[in-house]
Amino acid sequence: MEDKELFENEWEQIPSPENEMEMIQKSIRKRSRRIIALSVATAVVLLGLLTYGVIPLAERIFWHPAETTYGSHTDLETMLHVYTDLFTPGYNVSYVNYRRSGFASYELEVPVFSTAQRTELSAAGALKKNILSLDQNFFNPMNKHYPFPRFSTPNYVPIPMDIDALRQRLSELPEYIRLEATICFPEDLSMEALMAFRSTRSDLLITWVGVRSAEASDPLPPLMGMDPFTGGSVFDGFLMEYRHFDAKQITEPAHLEKHFKTRLQYYIDQLAKDRAFYRYDGETLNRALAYVEENGVYTYGCVVTATPQVLLDLLDSGIVCTMDLVDCWIDIITK
C-alpha cells in the first residue's frame, strides 16, 4: 500500500507534456532575454570604446584642425596665415571654422580678408586624412591679377605710350574712388630704402611687398613677398618660436628682413611635416631662402592703395617705373 501511494505521488509530480513544453519555452525566453541584454551591453561598450577610445587614438596620426602649437591660433590657422602673407598679395587669413565630416575628415570654412578694401570673403575646403584642399576663392578671392613686370624681367623698361595713357586715365577719375595698384621701382630697393619711401608717402597704403628671391638667370620662382605694414593677427606663440616681428613691432629695416625670412622658413618647415600646401615644393622655397640669406631682402615692387591723385603724383615723381591698376571701389567715407 505504501508503495502504491508513493508511486501515485511521484506520478502526479511528473509534468504533463503540455506543462513541460511551457516550462521549456519559458526557459528559452529567459535565456534569450539574457543573451539579448548581454549583446546590447557588449555593443554599447564596444561602441563607446570605438567612439571615445579607438577612433580618437587612430585619428591622432592625422592632422586635426584644432591642433595648437603656437599660442591661441591653431596650426592650420597659422599655416594659412603665413601662406597668404607670402603668396597672396592683398589678402590674409586669421581664423578657420571646421566641422567633422567623417574619420579624420573635416569640412572647412576659411574667411579671407582683403587688406585693401577691409572686406571679408569666404573660401570652402576640406581636410581629409592630412590632405588639405581649398577652392579658388582662397587662392584668388576676387579673381584678381597682380602684374609685376620687374618680377620676371628685372631690366624691364616700360613703354612711354602706356604711361601716358595711364596718366590720362588717373586724371579723369573722381577723388572718392579708391584704387588698388601694383608698382615697380626702377631698381630693387633695400628694406632701408623701402622704409624711407613709406615714411614719405603717408597717403599711400602698402598692403604687400614683393621680394626678389632669385637671380634673373635662374628659373623663375613663385611670386612671394610679405605684408608687414597692414597689421593682421598677432600670433604670440609663433612670435616666440620663430622670432618674427609683427607689424606693430617693425621699426627698422632688419625687422623687415627677419619678418620675411622667418615666415618663409616656417612654411618650409611645415612642408617637411606634411602640414602645408604642395603648391610650391620645398626645394624651390629653400633656394629662395638661400638667395635672400646670401643677397639680403630686396623688393622690386609693392601692392598699394590710394586715391587717383596720389597715384598720379607717384607716377609723375619718377620713384616708380611701372604702375598697373588692379581694382577700384567707391570710398563711402570720403564721398
Side-chain angles (χ1 to χ4, degrees):
M1 187 65 180
E2 291 180 0
D3 292 341
K4 182 180 179 181
E5 290 177 355
L6 180 62
F7 176 76
E8 287 176 351
N9 290 336
E10 290 180 356
W11 179 261
E12 289 176 356
Q13 292 177 7
I14 297 175
S16 65
E18 293 81 3
N19 291 338
E20 186 174 7
M21 183 60 67
E22 184 179 351
M23 291 174 64
I24 292 172
Q25 289 175 347
K26 287 182 179 179
S27 177
I28 291 173
R29 285 197 295 270
K30 188 175 181 180
R31 182 175 296 179
S32 297
R33 284 195 293 269
R34 284 202 211 99
I35 293 173
I36 292 172
L38 182 61
S39 299
V40 171
T42 302
V44 170
V45 171
L46 290 176
L47 182 61
L49 286 173
L50 284 172
T51 303
Y52 300 104
V54 178
I55 292 178
L57 188 63
E59 283 186 324
R60 286 185 180 181
I61 65 175
F62 297 104
W63 188 6
H64 192 288
E67 287 182 25
T68 302
T69 304
Y70 305 108
S72 59
H73 287 80
T74 68
D75 294 350
L76 179 60
E77 290 169 337
T78 304
M79 187 278 289
L80 294 178
H81 177 76
V82 173
Y83 179 92
T84 50
D85 191 46
L86 288 171
F87 304 115
T88 59
Y91 297 94
N92 62 50
V93 167
S94 59
Y95 69 96
V96 175
N97 298 317
Y98 70 92
R99 183 179 69 84
R100 193 174 187 277
S101 59
F103 176 75
S105 300
Y106 310 89
E107 294 179 0
L108 305 176
E109 180 192 9
V110 183
V112 184
F113 185 71
S114 168
T115 51
Q117 294 179 260
R118 321 304 287 180
T119 56
E120 192 174 86
L121 302 171
S122 183
L127 179 61
K128 296 183 178 180
K129 298 177 183 177
N130 284 3
I131 299 176
L132 178 64
S133 60
L134 289 168
D135 64 24
Q136 187 60 27
N137 278 347
F138 174 78
F139 297 102
N140 194 346
M142 297 184 69
N143 198 29
K144 295 181 182 180
H145 174 57
Y146 291 87
F148 288 99
R150 288 200 62 249
F151 161 66
S152 55
T153 310
N155 297 320
Y156 178 84
V157 178
I159 302 173
M161 187 181 300
D162 292 341
I163 298 296
D164 292 339
L166 177 60
R167 184 179 289 108
Q168 178 64 31
R169 187 178 179 186
L170 289 172
S171 65
E172 294 172 351
L173 291 173
E175 280 302 288
Y176 57 79
I177 293 291
R178 284 294 178 273
L179 296 168
E180 183 180 28
T182 59
I183 60 173
C184 285
F185 305 107
E187 296 181 353
D188 290 356
L189 298 185
S190 66
M191 294 301 97
E192 182 177 5
L194 176 64
M195 292 194 74
F197 166 73
R198 179 172 178 257
S199 67
T200 61
R201 308 297 307 197
S202 59
D203 51 1
L204 196 69
L205 177 64
I206 300 175
T207 60
W208 193 76
V209 178
V211 173
R212 179 77 63 196
S213 56
E215 296 286 355
S217 57
D218 293 340
L220 193 64
L223 186 73
M224 66 178 72
M226 56 180 166
D227 173 17
F229 298 128
T230 59
S233 297
V234 178
F235 293 79
D236 296 328
F238 180 76
L239 297 178
M240 294 178 64
E241 177 73 14
Y242 280 86
R243 304 296 179 190
H244 106 301
F245 292 87
D246 187 72
K248 297 176 182 178
Q249 299 172 310
I250 292 177
T251 57
E252 56 185 75
H255 294 172
L256 282 173
E257 294 194 4
K258 191 71 172 177
H259 183 96
F260 176 75
K261 291 178 184 178
T262 51
R263 293 205 161 198
L264 184 54
Q265 181 63 66
Y266 165 84
Y267 196 78
I268 291 170
D269 292 345
Q270 300 314 297
L271 279 173
K273 297 176 184 177
D274 292 330
R275 295 297 178 90
F277 290 114
Y278 289 96
R279 198 176 179 91
Y280 309 115
D281 63 273
E283 183 180 350
T284 298
L285 299 185
N286 270 305
R287 284 200 303 268
L289 182 58
Y291 176 86
V292 295
E293 289 285 6
E294 180 179 352
N295 298 280
V297 178
Y298 285 78
T299 179
Y300 47 80
C302 306
V303 179
V304 299
T305 298
T307 64
Q309 186 59 51
V310 169
L311 292 183
L312 183 59
D313 293 343
L314 183 63
L315 191 63
D316 290 337
S317 68
I319 297 175
V320 301
C321 65
T322 70
M323 180 182 294
D324 291 274
L325 303 184
V326 175
D327 197 5
C328 67
W329 60 93
I330 296 176
D331 189 331
I332 299 176
I333 299 177
T334 300
K335 184 179 179 182

